[in-house]
Short mmCIF file of all heavy atoms in Angstrom, two decimals:
data_model
loop_
_atom_site.label_atom_id
_atom_site.label_comp_id
_atom_site.label_asym_id
_atom_site.label_seq_id
_atom_site.Cartn_x
_atom_site.Cartn_y
_atom_site.Cartn_z
N ILE A 187 8.76 -23.20 -73.50
CA ILE A 187 8.65 -23.52 -74.97
C ILE A 187 8.84 -24.95 -75.06
O ILE A 187 9.84 -25.59 -74.56
CB ILE A 187 9.68 -22.67 -75.63
CG1 ILE A 187 9.31 -21.18 -75.60
CG2 ILE A 187 9.72 -23.17 -77.17
CD1 ILE A 187 10.41 -20.24 -76.07
N GLN A 188 8.01 -25.65 -75.72
CA GLN A 188 8.23 -27.00 -76.08
C GLN A 188 8.71 -27.29 -77.54
O GLN A 188 7.97 -26.70 -78.48
CB GLN A 188 6.77 -27.75 -76.12
CG GLN A 188 6.34 -28.40 -74.80
CD GLN A 188 5.16 -29.27 -75.04
OE1 GLN A 188 4.29 -28.93 -75.90
NE2 GLN A 188 4.93 -30.21 -74.15
N TYR A 189 9.88 -27.79 -77.73
CA TYR A 189 10.35 -28.07 -79.00
C TYR A 189 10.23 -29.46 -79.35
O TYR A 189 10.60 -30.40 -78.69
CB TYR A 189 11.89 -27.74 -79.10
CG TYR A 189 12.62 -28.07 -80.40
CD1 TYR A 189 12.79 -27.03 -81.38
CD2 TYR A 189 13.01 -29.29 -80.66
CE1 TYR A 189 13.42 -27.33 -82.54
CE2 TYR A 189 13.61 -29.65 -81.83
CZ TYR A 189 13.80 -28.69 -82.77
OH TYR A 189 14.40 -28.98 -83.94
N TYR A 190 9.53 -29.82 -80.48
CA TYR A 190 9.08 -31.20 -80.89
C TYR A 190 10.23 -31.79 -81.74
O TYR A 190 10.47 -31.29 -82.89
CB TYR A 190 7.81 -31.26 -81.62
CG TYR A 190 6.63 -31.15 -80.64
CD1 TYR A 190 6.39 -29.87 -80.06
CD2 TYR A 190 5.91 -32.24 -80.25
CE1 TYR A 190 5.21 -29.75 -79.21
CE2 TYR A 190 4.91 -32.08 -79.42
CZ TYR A 190 4.55 -30.90 -78.94
OH TYR A 190 3.45 -30.74 -77.98
N LYS A 191 10.84 -32.78 -81.35
CA LYS A 191 11.97 -33.47 -82.04
C LYS A 191 11.41 -34.59 -82.96
O LYS A 191 10.17 -34.97 -82.83
CB LYS A 191 12.96 -34.12 -81.10
CG LYS A 191 13.59 -33.26 -80.07
CD LYS A 191 14.73 -33.90 -79.35
CE LYS A 191 14.40 -34.79 -78.32
NZ LYS A 191 15.48 -35.40 -77.67
N ASP A 192 12.27 -35.07 -83.81
CA ASP A 192 11.83 -36.19 -84.69
C ASP A 192 12.10 -37.46 -83.96
O ASP A 192 11.70 -38.56 -84.48
CB ASP A 192 12.55 -36.19 -86.01
CG ASP A 192 12.00 -35.18 -87.02
OD1 ASP A 192 10.91 -34.67 -86.72
OD2 ASP A 192 12.72 -34.82 -87.94
N ASP A 193 12.82 -37.39 -82.94
CA ASP A 193 13.12 -38.64 -82.15
C ASP A 193 11.89 -39.32 -81.76
O ASP A 193 10.89 -38.74 -81.40
CB ASP A 193 14.09 -38.39 -81.07
CG ASP A 193 15.36 -37.84 -81.37
OD1 ASP A 193 15.79 -38.19 -82.58
OD2 ASP A 193 16.01 -37.13 -80.71
N GLY A 194 11.97 -40.71 -81.64
CA GLY A 194 10.87 -41.43 -81.21
C GLY A 194 10.59 -41.43 -79.75
O GLY A 194 11.09 -40.64 -78.96
N ASN A 195 9.69 -42.19 -79.41
CA ASN A 195 9.07 -42.25 -77.99
C ASN A 195 9.12 -43.77 -77.71
O ASN A 195 8.50 -44.51 -78.48
CB ASN A 195 7.68 -41.68 -78.13
CG ASN A 195 7.23 -41.41 -76.83
OD1 ASN A 195 7.40 -42.05 -75.84
ND2 ASN A 195 6.53 -40.23 -76.74
N ARG A 196 9.92 -44.09 -76.69
CA ARG A 196 9.96 -45.57 -76.24
C ARG A 196 8.62 -45.99 -75.95
O ARG A 196 8.35 -47.15 -76.11
CB ARG A 196 10.96 -45.76 -75.08
CG ARG A 196 12.40 -45.67 -75.54
CD ARG A 196 13.26 -46.02 -74.37
NE ARG A 196 13.29 -44.95 -73.40
CZ ARG A 196 13.98 -43.85 -73.55
NH1 ARG A 196 14.65 -43.64 -74.62
NH2 ARG A 196 13.95 -42.92 -72.62
N THR A 197 7.72 -45.09 -75.52
CA THR A 197 6.44 -45.61 -75.14
C THR A 197 5.37 -45.44 -76.18
O THR A 197 4.21 -45.65 -75.97
CB THR A 197 5.97 -44.92 -73.86
OG1 THR A 197 6.14 -43.52 -73.98
CG2 THR A 197 6.72 -45.37 -72.63
N ALA A 198 5.93 -44.96 -77.45
CA ALA A 198 4.89 -44.82 -78.46
C ALA A 198 4.37 -46.20 -78.82
O ALA A 198 4.89 -47.20 -78.41
CB ALA A 198 5.60 -44.22 -79.70
N ILE A 199 3.28 -46.11 -79.59
CA ILE A 199 2.64 -47.37 -79.96
C ILE A 199 2.62 -47.53 -81.47
O ILE A 199 1.93 -46.80 -82.11
CB ILE A 199 1.13 -47.50 -79.44
CG1 ILE A 199 1.15 -47.04 -77.96
CG2 ILE A 199 0.52 -48.83 -79.59
CD1 ILE A 199 -0.16 -46.30 -77.55
N PRO A 200 3.39 -48.39 -82.14
CA PRO A 200 4.53 -49.23 -81.51
C PRO A 200 5.74 -48.33 -81.29
O PRO A 200 5.80 -47.23 -81.84
CB PRO A 200 4.76 -50.22 -82.68
CG PRO A 200 4.49 -49.48 -83.91
CD PRO A 200 3.34 -48.56 -83.64
N PRO A 201 6.64 -48.79 -80.38
CA PRO A 201 7.84 -47.96 -80.03
C PRO A 201 8.68 -47.76 -81.30
O PRO A 201 8.73 -48.60 -82.17
CB PRO A 201 8.56 -48.80 -79.04
CG PRO A 201 7.66 -49.95 -78.68
CD PRO A 201 6.67 -50.08 -79.66
N HIS A 202 9.36 -46.61 -81.41
CA HIS A 202 10.20 -46.36 -82.59
C HIS A 202 11.23 -45.36 -82.24
O HIS A 202 11.15 -44.77 -81.16
CB HIS A 202 9.39 -45.79 -83.71
CG HIS A 202 8.63 -44.63 -83.37
ND1 HIS A 202 9.13 -43.39 -83.15
CD2 HIS A 202 7.30 -44.45 -83.15
CE1 HIS A 202 8.21 -42.51 -82.79
NE2 HIS A 202 7.01 -43.14 -82.83
N ALA A 203 12.25 -45.33 -83.07
CA ALA A 203 13.46 -44.46 -82.70
C ALA A 203 13.16 -43.09 -83.23
O ALA A 203 13.11 -42.14 -82.39
CB ALA A 203 14.67 -45.09 -83.36
N ALA A 204 13.15 -42.91 -84.47
CA ALA A 204 12.92 -41.52 -85.15
C ALA A 204 12.20 -41.61 -86.26
O ALA A 204 12.38 -42.54 -87.14
CB ALA A 204 14.30 -40.81 -85.25
N VAL A 205 11.36 -40.67 -86.71
CA VAL A 205 10.58 -40.59 -87.86
C VAL A 205 10.79 -39.15 -88.40
O VAL A 205 10.61 -38.15 -87.77
CB VAL A 205 9.19 -40.86 -87.70
CG1 VAL A 205 8.34 -40.74 -89.03
CG2 VAL A 205 8.84 -42.28 -87.13
N ASP A 206 11.35 -39.10 -89.66
CA ASP A 206 11.64 -37.82 -90.27
C ASP A 206 10.40 -36.98 -90.32
O ASP A 206 9.32 -37.41 -90.92
CB ASP A 206 12.15 -38.14 -91.77
CG ASP A 206 12.81 -36.98 -92.33
OD1 ASP A 206 13.15 -35.98 -91.67
OD2 ASP A 206 13.06 -37.04 -93.64
N GLY A 207 10.45 -35.76 -89.91
CA GLY A 207 9.31 -34.81 -90.00
C GLY A 207 8.24 -34.99 -88.85
O GLY A 207 7.22 -34.26 -88.81
N LYS A 208 8.36 -35.95 -87.99
CA LYS A 208 7.35 -36.24 -86.92
C LYS A 208 7.19 -35.03 -86.04
O LYS A 208 5.96 -34.76 -85.71
CB LYS A 208 7.84 -37.41 -86.09
CG LYS A 208 6.87 -37.89 -85.07
CD LYS A 208 7.53 -38.81 -84.01
CE LYS A 208 8.17 -38.03 -82.95
NZ LYS A 208 8.23 -38.68 -81.66
N GLY A 209 8.23 -34.39 -85.59
CA GLY A 209 8.18 -33.31 -84.69
C GLY A 209 7.31 -32.14 -85.22
O GLY A 209 6.51 -31.59 -84.50
N VAL A 210 7.37 -31.83 -86.46
CA VAL A 210 6.60 -30.87 -87.15
C VAL A 210 5.12 -31.19 -87.06
O VAL A 210 4.35 -30.33 -86.74
CB VAL A 210 7.14 -30.60 -88.62
CG1 VAL A 210 6.18 -29.68 -89.40
CG2 VAL A 210 8.61 -30.18 -88.67
#
Side-chain angles (χ1 to χ4, degrees):
I187 294 168
Q188 267 189 331
Y189 176 97
Y190 283 77
K191 304 193 285 181
D192 284 344
D193 296 331
N195 195 320
R196 280 186 290 285
T197 48
I199 312 151
H202 54 74
V205 177
D206 194 14
K208 182 195 83 152
V210 172

